[in-house]
Amino acid sequence: MNPGFGPGGRDPRARHYGPHDLSAPARTALPQVEAAAELVVEEVTTGFCGAVVRVEKTPGGFTVTLEDRFRKHRVFPLGPGFLVDGEPVVLVRPRPKAGQAGQERTASGSRAVAGLRARVAREGRIYVEGKHDAELVERVWGDDLRVEGVVVELLDGVDFLPGIIEEFRPGAGRRLGVLVDHMVAGSKETRIAREAQEGREESVLVLGHPYVDIWQAVKPAVLGFEAWPRVPRTEEWKRGVCERLRRKDPSWPLDPRRAWPRILGAVTSYKDLEPTLLGRVEALIDFVTAP
C-alpha cells in the first residue's frame, strides 16, 4: 500500500501540527472523521502516516491500526491527535452501512453461526499455561469454543501437569488437551509432556509451540516491527523484549503488563498469528471434541 506521499510518508503541501496545536483550547470542536479502511491519516505525536487497516475494541478502548507505504503497522488509540489532509480531526468508529450483512466468519476463520447459544460445557477440557495464553485463545477461537462447549483452563506451569491429569481422570468421554509453551527437543517441557501422555494417548494430548512465550505467536508485522527481539537467557524475557522495543519505538511500554493489551489488541483474526500456533490449537479442539 502506498499513500503516495514523499519521503517519511508526509504530504509536503500539508501544514504540520505538533501536540500543542491540538491540546490548546479550541474555539470550535474538531471535525469527526470515520476511520474507514484506506483513509490516509497522520498521527501527530509520532508523525506516523498511513492508511487505516482496521478499527477494533481492546481492553483499553478502541484502537486504529495504520499501515505506511513500507507496509509497517502501528496501533494508536482512536480519538483526537490525527491529521487528515493536513487538518486536525477526531477519528471515530465507522458506522455500519445500511443493509450491511453481519460477520460471516469468526476470528478463527470458521463460519459464524448466527443466534446460536453456547453449548453446555463438555467434560473434555483444554489447559493452557497462563492468562495471556488463555486470552489469546479466547480472542481467536472464543466463538468456536462456545459453539463446541469447550472450556479453557489455566495450567499455571507445566510442572503442575501430572497432578492436573491425576485429578481430571481422563478417559472415555473425558479428553484432556494441553498447550505448552517452549516445547522443543530436549527441554523439561518436552520430557514432562511425554511422561504425562504415556499410556493415556487415547484421552490425553499434549502439544507445544516453540516460542519462549505466547507473545511470540503474534506476527511482529501486525505490531509494527520486523522480528521479536532476541533476549539473553540471563534476562527476564518479557521485560527484555519491552526494553529493546522501547529503544526503537518510544511509545512502547516498558512494563510487560501494559505491553500485553497492546499486543492482544493488534490481533483480530487467525491471520495475525503464526501458523505453528494455529495448527496446535486446532488439533487440540479437534481432539477434545471428537466422538
Side-chain angles (χ1 to χ4, degrees), residues 80-103:
F82 297 93
L83 304 178
V84 173
D85 294 330
E87 298 296 330
V89 301
V90 177
L91 285 186
V92 298
R93 296 163 56 193
R95 297 185 182 90
K97 297 179 181 179
Q100 186 178 46
Q103 184 182 18

Side-chain angles (χ1 to χ4, degrees), residues 27-274:
R27 295 180 180 177
T28 59
L30 294 177
Q32 294 188 349
V33 176
E34 294 184 24
E38 305 296 330
L39 174 70
V40 177
V41 302
E42 178 181 344
E43 202 277 330
V44 297
T45 303
T46 62
F48 188 88
C49 184
V52 173
V53 175
R54 56 179 169 262
V55 173
E56 60 187 328
K57 185 177 182 180
T58 72
F62 282 92
T63 63
V64 59
T65 300
L66 304 181
E67 180 183 77
D68 70 5
R69 63 196 183 100
F70 302 108
R71 302 190 68 82
K72 180 180 180 181
H73 286 196
R74 288 283 296 275
V75 181
F76 301 100
L78 199 65
F82 297 93
L83 304 178
V84 173
D85 294 330
E87 298 296 330
V89 301
V90 177
L91 285 186
V92 298
R93 296 163 56 193
R95 297 185 182 90
K97 297 179 181 179
Q100 186 178 46
Q103 184 182 18
E104 297 180 355
R105 296 283 176 178
T106 67
S108 69
S110 302
R111 186 175 297 279
V113 183
L116 185 65
R117 294 183 179 181
R119 177 174 176 170
V120 175
R122 295 173 182 263
E123 290 191 82
R125 292 288 186 274
I126 290 178
Y127 273 81
V128 296
E129 285 226 41
K131 179 182 177 183
H132 291 180
D133 306 63
E135 290 176 340
L136 188 61
V137 169
E138 163 63 26
R139 189 166 186 85
V140 176
W141 288 276
D143 291 336
D144 305 63
L145 294 169
R146 280 182 284 279
V147 169
E148 296 291 348
V150 177
V151 175
V152 175
E153 299 191 22
L154 301 186
L155 185 61
D156 288 328
V158 71
D159 292 314
F160 295 102
L161 180 56
I164 287 176
I165 293 177
E166 186 68 25
E167 181 179 353
F168 184 78
R169 296 182 180 180
R174 287 179 58 83
R175 291 190 170 192
L176 183 63
V178 184
L179 181 67
V180 178
D181 293 344
H182 200 222
M183 200 163 85
V184 296
S187 69
K188 175 189 72 174
E189 290 82 0
T190 300
R191 176 182 57 79
I192 293 176
R194 183 178 62 251
E195 293 174 354
Q197 291 180 108
E198 190 171 0
R200 303 186 180 96
E201 289 80 4
E202 294 297 321
S203 56
V204 177
L205 177 62
V206 182
L207 297 178
H209 56 71
Y211 311 116
V212 175
D213 189 272
I214 198 68
W215 286 19
Q216 283 185 303
V218 178
K219 292 180 178 178
V222 305
L223 295 164
F225 50 89
E226 294 182 359
W228 286 96
R230 292 188 177 184
V231 179
R233 293 185 178 182
T234 54
E235 296 183 37
E236 196 277 319
W237 188 82
K238 289 179 180 177
R239 184 163 295 278
V241 164
C242 290
E243 290 175 353
R244 285 160 177 79
L245 291 178
R246 180 67 170 264
R247 295 169 194 166
K248 298 180 180 179
D249 180 358
S251 71
W252 191 269
L254 283 174
D255 187 344
R257 293 172 297 182
R258 294 183 57 205
W260 172 242
R262 178 166 174 170
I263 296 168
L264 184 64
V267 177
T268 59
S269 78
Y270 70 96
K271 296 179 182 179
D272 297 325
L273 302 181
E274 297 290 355

